Amino acid sequence: MSVGQYGPAQPIFEPPLFGGGSHVPLIAPWLQPHESLFGIVEVRLSSVIRRSLPRKLRAGKEWRGARGVVGRAFEGVVSVAEAFEFFDFGIIRRIRRIVRGAGLKGGWQSVAGQFVIAVRTGPDPSSSRYDNERALMVFTDRRIVLMCTVSMRNEKPLFGKVPPRMQVSRREARCLGEIQPGQLRGVATRHNWLSDRVDIHFADGSLVALELSEKDARALEALSQGIVPPARS
């Protein structure tokens, strides 16, 4: 199931692309020579995971001179806002964790932590709010690539409805990160009446919780085992 100039020889499992078409032509330029595409699953970080990255984990620029004074003042305002966010939403998340379990295990330096950092940062760190929650997990015969489809006009992620007047052809894929072979150890579906939770387990013992539909969860589990699922019907 190799990807050539015009996409795969036969349909693969992939999420619907609003406005029509396929993700494959957008992703193809990122594939290595003779790399085979097995499937694409759109994932969403669980609501029990902190909704934005801590400031210390964000890619930023060093502010100098008068601009630095303004920058540090801005950082102070943001820190206060983060404190309120932690107090308010942090309490809600802790209650959810008691009921549903932690959404991230292993710390920020673990594979799961780096996964969350890559997704939250999104396709453009320079203008990111570090609250992106969706990504495409692109499975090939060599690796798993985290990607995002963006509008070429404003660099914004395209998950959901295409903005009015936007030409669906004016979009491209951006790479958020990679998961190397052997790092993904298992996928556990934990659906219940409270959530559509799916846990991804990594080789270093870390874990990240996602929210996926039953169909996407089955495809993700199959792909994690090296099985190519049938195309979405």
Side-chain angles (χ1 to χ4, degrees):
M1 196 173 294
S2 297
V3 176
Q5 183 178 0
Y6 300 103
Q10 56 187 13
I12 65 166
F13 185 93
E14 62 173 314
L17 190 59
F18 288 88
S22 168
H23 290 83
V24 176
L26 305 177
I27 290 171
W30 294 90
L31 298 180
Q32 300 168 355
H34 309 295
E35 187 173 17
S36 295
L37 180 60
F38 287 167
I40 306 169
V41 180
E42 181 182 324
V43 300
R44 178 177 182 176
L45 295 179
S46 171
S47 59
V48 297
I49 298 175
R50 177 180 175 135
R51 70 176 185 177
S52 63
L53 287 183
R55 300 295 298 180
K56 63 181 180 181
L57 297 174
R58 302 180 182 186
K61 297 181 179 179
E62 184 178 357
W63 300 85
R64 299 182 182 276
R67 192 179 183 189
V69 174
V70 177
R72 286 190 290 273
F74 176 75
E75 292 286 340
V77 173
V78 172
S79 296
V80 173
E82 280 197 337
F84 278 106
E85 190 268 341
F86 178 80
F87 178 76
D88 186 7
F89 293 95
I91 292 176
I92 297 174
R93 279 197 306 274
R94 283 194 287 271
I95 295 174
R96 288 174 177 168
R97 287 168 184 165
I98 292 174
V99 177
R100 296 160 56 186
L104 174 63
K105 294 182 180 179
W108 294 111
Q109 297 305 314
S110 68
V111 178
Q114 294 300 303
F115 182 103
V116 174
I117 290 173
V119 175
R120 286 286 190 232
T121 300
D124 186 10
S126 65
S127 62
S128 178
R129 296 175 57 186
Y130 297 90
D131 60 355
N132 182 53
E133 61 182 12
R134 297 176 184 268
L136 301 173
M137 291 186 70
V138 180
F139 287 78
T140 78
D141 58 337
R142 303 177 186 176
R143 56 192 172 139
I144 304 170
V145 188
L146 297 179
M147 306 203 75
C148 184
T149 305
V150 302
S151 164
M152 295 172 63
R153 180 178 62 183
N154 55 21
E155 304 293 318
K156 298 300 183 182
L158 291 178
F159 293 106
K161 187 177 180 180
V162 174
R165 302 188 185 90
M166 194 196 105
Q167 297 180 11
V168 294
S169 60
R170 298 288 294 169
R171 54 192 174 195
E172 64 183 14
R174 296 287 178 83
C175 180
L176 307 182
E178 287 188 18
I179 300 174
Q180 296 303 314
Q183 288 186 322
L184 178 59
R185 284 296 176 86
V187 175
T189 301
R190 298 176 55 187
H191 285 183
N192 55 43
W193 66 277
L194 285 173
S195 71
D196 292 332
R197 174 167 173 159
V198 175
D199 289 348
I200 296 183
H201 297 266
F202 296 101
D204 62 352
S206 61
L207 171 152
V208 63
L210 307 174
E211 293 180 3
L212 293 172
S213 68
E214 184 177 351
K215 181 177 292 186
D216 288 338
R218 289 199 303 268
L220 184 63
E221 186 172 2
L223 287 164
S224 71
Q225 300 171 0
I227 301 172
V228 179
R232 185 187 296 272
S233 57

